[in-house]
Amino acid sequence: MTTKKQIRQQILQQLKQKDPTQKLQQEQLLYHQLYDLSAWQKAESIGITMSMSHEINTLPIIKKALTQGKQVYIPKTIHRELKWLAYDPQQLEKTRFGIWEPTASLDQAVDIKQLQLLLVPGVAFTPTGYRVGYGAGFYDRTLSNYPGKSISLVFPEQQITDFLADSWDKPVDLILTPSKIS
């Protein structure tokens, strides 16, 4: 069976070579599916990352959430843990890994249990919600303590049939993939 490292390398290469027009079309389909979910509509607070260029663009999701009056929180990595801070475009900095994180004081962080919806990133996903992330385990640790609804938006290239899951791997509740909207 293919290792997580091999899966990660293969999928990331495919994502970085993805046609921009196709990427945009698939993102639009995913956004519509997300906004149609009752979990999205009911959620007053969401947790979401600032995406990297090869990932599904999360900025339109953040903007949509804010226009709908939702509270939006993005993570800051501190000592192998994610701390959730209110999204403020004026208080962001790029980390050495190329990820935008909040610069607000950690005393403003909210407990993960206060977020009603968590949009979880990753590299590869099985149909049952297991994911291969970037290898640091941040979201597996987060999901182990998260009682709310977790969703991942996934490009076709990111869909895999299976991998050898570790005991600490935690699945997301729902995987959304681009499909035609009728």
Side-chain angles (χ1 to χ4, degrees):
M1 185 169 278
T2 312
T3 67
K4 287 181 182 180
K5 183 178 180 180
Q6 292 168 322
I7 292 168
R8 190 177 297 116
Q9 290 172 338
Q10 178 186 7
I11 302 292
L12 285 173
Q13 181 180 12
Q14 290 177 25
L15 290 173
K16 289 175 182 176
Q17 296 172 350
K18 190 170 182 69
D19 174 68
T21 303
Q22 183 185 51
K23 181 179 186 283
L24 185 60
Q25 290 171 342
Q26 290 175 350
E27 285 171 340
Q28 294 301 317
L29 291 169
L30 288 165
Y31 299 152
H32 287 294
Q33 288 180 53
L34 175 65
Y35 304 149
D36 284 346
L37 291 175
S38 64
W40 170 269
Q41 294 166 4
K42 291 177 184 176
E44 294 176 12
S45 58
I46 66 166
I48 187 170
T49 59
M50 300 292 297
S51 56
M52 292 184 279
S53 62
H54 62 274
E55 296 176 317
I56 291 164
N57 186 357
T58 57
L59 195 54
I61 298 170
I62 291 168
K63 289 180 177 179
K64 178 80 165 186
L66 293 171
T67 62
Q68 292 181 345
K70 298 180 188 301
Q71 296 173 315
V72 177
Y73 296 90
I74 60 173
K76 181 175 184 76
T77 54
I78 302 291
H79 306 297
R80 301 192 50 80
E81 188 179 342
L82 298 178
K83 300 290 185 178
W84 295 89
L85 294 150
Y87 171 77
D88 180 346
Q90 304 304 313
Q91 292 191 349
L92 296 173
E93 68 181 356
K94 199 173 232 185
T95 69
R96 63 184 174 147
F97 301 108
I99 300 168
W100 288 97
E101 289 189 348
T103 58
S105 171
L106 289 179
D107 63 1
Q108 296 177 30
V110 299
D111 187 288
I112 186 71
K113 294 177 177 99
Q114 290 182 259
L115 306 181
Q116 296 169 334
L117 179 63
L118 186 61
L119 298 177
V120 180
V123 177
F125 299 83
T126 68
T128 56
Y130 281 93
R131 50 182 284 287
V132 174
Y134 289 90
F138 289 112
Y139 277 89
D140 290 316
R141 285 189 293 280
T142 299
L143 288 169
S144 69
N145 296 315
Y146 181 63
K149 184 82 165 174
S150 59
I151 300 174
S152 291
L153 282 62
V154 179
F155 287 128
E157 295 88 343
Q158 295 177 277
Q159 298 174 55
I160 59 174
T161 54
D162 204 6
F163 69 93
L164 188 57
D166 292 304
S167 60
W168 58 81
D169 288 329
K170 301 295 179 206
V172 294
D173 297 321
L174 180 64
I175 300 286
L176 295 181
T177 59
S179 61
K180 300 259 186 267
I181 297 174
S182 51

